[in-house]
């Protein structure tokens, strides 16, 4: 296969721990050809969705802590997305309007015969915080609103809650409001922009001290290990970007139930790769843009997550 990655600039990636690089390495090991393009290099001309794409190869034995882990094999070319065997969307958030436009272009490309994973429509239609509303039976009590009085009432009812923006990533903008939080009103005013921005509130889950678990679904099958992202002492956020420590562990019976249930409900929606965030017994987010944790799970358990993804992509791309 010739696989095109829509991705951030390669020199900016931390290849030694980057899940997209793990995907590339697994695909290259299975004999596939790789090209890359940037989000800004997607375009439509005369109705055809195209990309300014660069063919690359991975350097054998390269130090992934350095930048020389790949090399270009040809000058950039303008090519239709439908000419690739698979297009893998791995541009990291923020999920701004440029990202939305890209999902539209990817959707148009699919109509022209391109095979895109995750699909543009699927990424756009599964906002990572809001998608848990499909899993209310598996989630802690949750409220999505910009109404200050509703948020205050939710806090009064549950006493200890987490509030967060709908478009945040890496733990940014997350606050814990305990029963006696003197800054509650100020926090809510800031997050909602005085009632003009919708946010999410969830009942606090004490099991966060044991980790915010990332469970990966690949081709509707759960990876048998998750990564528990354990917060620093005094923190309520387990995100690795917020200093959390990642510990791989086998899926528990409850983890597997959540994963299988989610896979069944999301099946057939164009989602080859999904990252479920689970705290204790509850799913808290459904990540579909560029789920990570491939490298940490592989290094700590020996289970090759990248290879599982590569095989799933081969099956999905036909």
């Amino acid at each position: 296969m010739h696989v095109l990655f829509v991705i951030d600039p390669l020199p900016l990636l931390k290849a030694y721990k980057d899940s997209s690089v793990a995907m590339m390495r697994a695909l290259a090991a299975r004999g596939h050809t790789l090209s890359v393009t940037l989000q800004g290099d997607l375009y439509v001309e005369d109705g055809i969705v195209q990309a300014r794409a660069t063919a690359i190869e991975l350097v054998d034995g390269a130090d992934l802590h350095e930048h020389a882990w790949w090399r270009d094999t040809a000058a950039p070319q303008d090519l239709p997305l439908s000419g690739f065997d698979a297009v893998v969307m791995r541009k990291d958030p923020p999920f701004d309007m440029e990202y939305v436009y890209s999902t539209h272009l990817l959707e148009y490309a699919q109509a022209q015969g391109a095979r895109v994973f995750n699909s543009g429509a699927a990424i756009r239609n599964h906002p990572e915080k809001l998608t848990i509303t499909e899993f209310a039976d598996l989630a802690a009590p949750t409220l999505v609103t910009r109404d200050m009085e509703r948020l205050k009432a939710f806090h009064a009812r549950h006493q200890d809650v987490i509030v967060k923006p709908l478009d945040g990533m890496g733990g940014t903008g997350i606050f814990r409001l305990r029963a006696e939080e003197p800054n509650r009103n100020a926090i809510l005013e800031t997050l909602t922009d005085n009632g003009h921005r919708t946010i999410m509130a969830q009942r606090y889950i004490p099991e966060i001290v044991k980790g915010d678990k990332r469970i990966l679904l690949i081709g509707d099958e759960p990876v048998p290990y998750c990564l528990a992202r354990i917060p620093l002492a005094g923190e309520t956020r387990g995100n690795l970007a917020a200093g959390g420590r990642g510990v791989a562990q086998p899926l528990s019976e409850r983890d597997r139930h959540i994963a299988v249930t989610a896979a069944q409900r999301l099946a057939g929606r164009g989602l080859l790769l999904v990252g479920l965030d689970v705290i204790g017994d509850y799913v808290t987010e459904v990540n579909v843009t560029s789920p990570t944790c491939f490298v940490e799970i592989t290094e700590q358990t020996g289970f090759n997550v990248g290879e599982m993804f590569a095989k799933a992509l081969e099956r999905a791309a036909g």
Side-chain angles (χ1 to χ4, degrees), residues 14-276:
K14 296 179 179 178
Y16 65 94
K17 65 175 185 177
D18 190 276
S19 293
S20 299
V21 176
M23 294 175 185
M24 291 181 185
R25 288 165 59 83
L27 286 164
R30 297 178 65 80
H32 301 301
T33 302
L34 305 174
S35 287
V36 296
T37 192
L38 303 179
Q39 179 177 256
D41 287 330
L42 297 174
Y43 67 98
V44 181
E45 186 168 3
D46 297 330
I48 305 300
V49 182
Q50 304 184 63
R52 185 73 167 169
T54 302
I56 66 167
E57 65 180 13
L58 306 187
V59 177
D60 289 337
D63 182 351
L64 297 183
H65 289 80
E66 303 295 335
H67 290 306
W69 55 270
W70 89 95
R71 65 171 67 94
D72 298 347
T73 59
Q77 290 183 282
D78 293 295
L79 299 169
L81 268 60
S82 59
F84 294 91
D85 297 294
V87 177
V88 180
M89 177 54 165
R90 288 295 296 180
K91 172 70 179 72
D92 281 342
F95 198 97
D96 53 15
M97 284 307 299
E98 284 299 317
Y99 208 116
V100 172
Y101 299 148
S102 294
T103 68
H104 284 292
L105 295 186
L106 293 173
E107 187 176 6
Y108 300 154
Q110 282 188 273
Q112 296 167 4
R115 292 167 290 275
V116 182
F117 309 95
N118 288 331
S119 78
I123 292 172
R124 190 174 63 253
N125 294 337
H126 294 84
E128 305 196 332
K129 307 283 192 301
L130 289 176
T131 299
I132 67 162
T133 59
E134 291 195 53
F135 303 96
D137 55 323
L138 301 175
T142 299
L143 172 69
V144 178
T145 185
R146 62 182 185 180
D147 186 288
M148 295 284 288
E149 295 309 313
R150 289 188 188 278
L151 289 163
K152 292 176 185 177
F154 185 86
H155 178 245
R157 184 161 63 253
H158 294 289
Q159 296 292 297
D160 198 352
V161 304
I162 295 292
V163 290
K164 52 189 175 182
L166 296 179
D167 59 354
M169 60 172 290
T172 58
I174 295 177
F175 292 88
R176 179 182 178 185
L177 306 182
R178 293 179 173 84
E180 301 298 331
E181 173 52 69
N183 297 310
R184 182 190 69 175
N185 289 357
I187 290 170
L188 295 180
E189 288 165 4
T190 300
L191 284 181
T192 66
D193 190 19
N194 290 304
H196 291 91
R197 182 183 300 121
T198 302
I199 68 170
M200 174 174 283
Q202 291 176 316
R203 188 186 69 194
Y204 175 71
I205 306 169
E207 289 83 356
I208 182 61
V209 297
K210 298 179 181 179
D212 179 354
K213 293 174 284 188
R214 166 59 55 82
I215 299 174
L216 294 169
L217 299 176
I218 299 177
D220 298 332
E221 292 291 330
V223 172
Y225 300 90
C226 65
L227 190 75
R229 297 160 296 178
I230 300 171
L232 292 170
E235 260 284 4
T236 58
R237 303 170 298 170
N239 309 73
L240 299 182
R245 175 172 56 92
V247 178
Q249 57 193 39
L251 298 186
S252 68
E253 184 176 340
R254 174 64 176 178
D255 293 339
R256 184 166 290 278
H257 170 71
I258 290 173
V260 170
T261 301
Q264 291 171 344
R265 294 183 189 176
L266 296 172
R269 300 191 190 180
L271 294 168
L272 182 68
L273 174 61
V274 175
L276 304 173

